[in-house]
Amino acid sequence: MSAAGDRLQDSSRRAALALANVSHGRPFTGLDVYKVAGKVFLIVTDDPDEQIITDDADEQIITVTCEPEHARAQERGYATITPGRYLDKRHWISLGPGPGITKRVVTDAVEHSYDLVVESLPQRDRPRAL
């Protein structure tokens, strides 16, 4: 895994853990799963078999939920943002390190995914602001 992949994954983990009521687990080998109120919003892939291939090397990815229109725009805007692997490709995207994938892009993707999940929860299950 490249240093860029490490940074992408570390940035996504920090962004997720900074949000309210986030739980973290490893239900499957090679996958860090982040949830709010039992609903998944971030998957960090550590398994080498789950890597995407770029022009330079195999890289680790993160996967987040995303509104379909926003997902397609992200995929058009960044070469290393692709439909979510093994998930509903309409509602999930995977991000790999590459040109334009900054810490801000990663943090925004994680926060957007979290917000989508929270908005889908019944009011009683939504986390209270910190």
Side-chain angles (χ1 to χ4, degrees):
M1 173 174 26
S2 75
D6 287 340
R7 285 192 305 272
L8 176 133
Q9 291 182 320
D10 289 344
S11 293
S12 69
R13 288 180 175 111
R14 280 192 301 277
L17 292 173
L19 300 167
N21 295 44
V22 170
S23 64
H24 166 252
R26 293 185 64 88
F28 309 105
T29 302
L31 296 178
D32 276 336
V33 177
Y34 294 81
K35 299 179 181 181
V36 59
K39 304 280 186 181
V40 175
F41 71 94
L42 169 66
I43 301 169
V44 180
T45 307
D46 286 331
D47 186 343
D49 293 334
E50 299 298 321
Q51 296 173 346
I52 60 170
I53 298 175
T54 63
D55 291 337
D56 298 322
D58 290 352
E59 301 291 351
Q60 301 279 329
I61 62 171
I62 66 166
T63 303
V64 295
T65 190
C66 193
E67 295 165 325
E69 300 79 23
H70 185 64
R72 299 307 72 83
Q74 294 285 64
E75 291 165 15
R76 286 190 301 273
Y78 300 95
T80 58
I81 296 181
T82 60
R85 188 161 181 185
Y86 299 121
L87 297 165
D88 179 345
K89 296 189 182 329
R90 188 164 175 252
H91 294 278
W92 291 84
I93 56 174
S94 294
L95 291 80
I101 304 297
T102 63
K103 181 179 176 181
R104 182 79 254 157
V105 169
V106 172
T107 300
D108 286 349
V110 170
E111 290 173 353
H112 177 77
S113 180
Y114 173 89
D115 290 343
L116 283 176
V117 170
V118 167
E119 289 170 10
S120 74
L121 296 171
Q123 193 69 33
R124 70 180 180 278
D125 294 337
R126 293 182 185 186
R128 298 194 194 317
L130 295 175

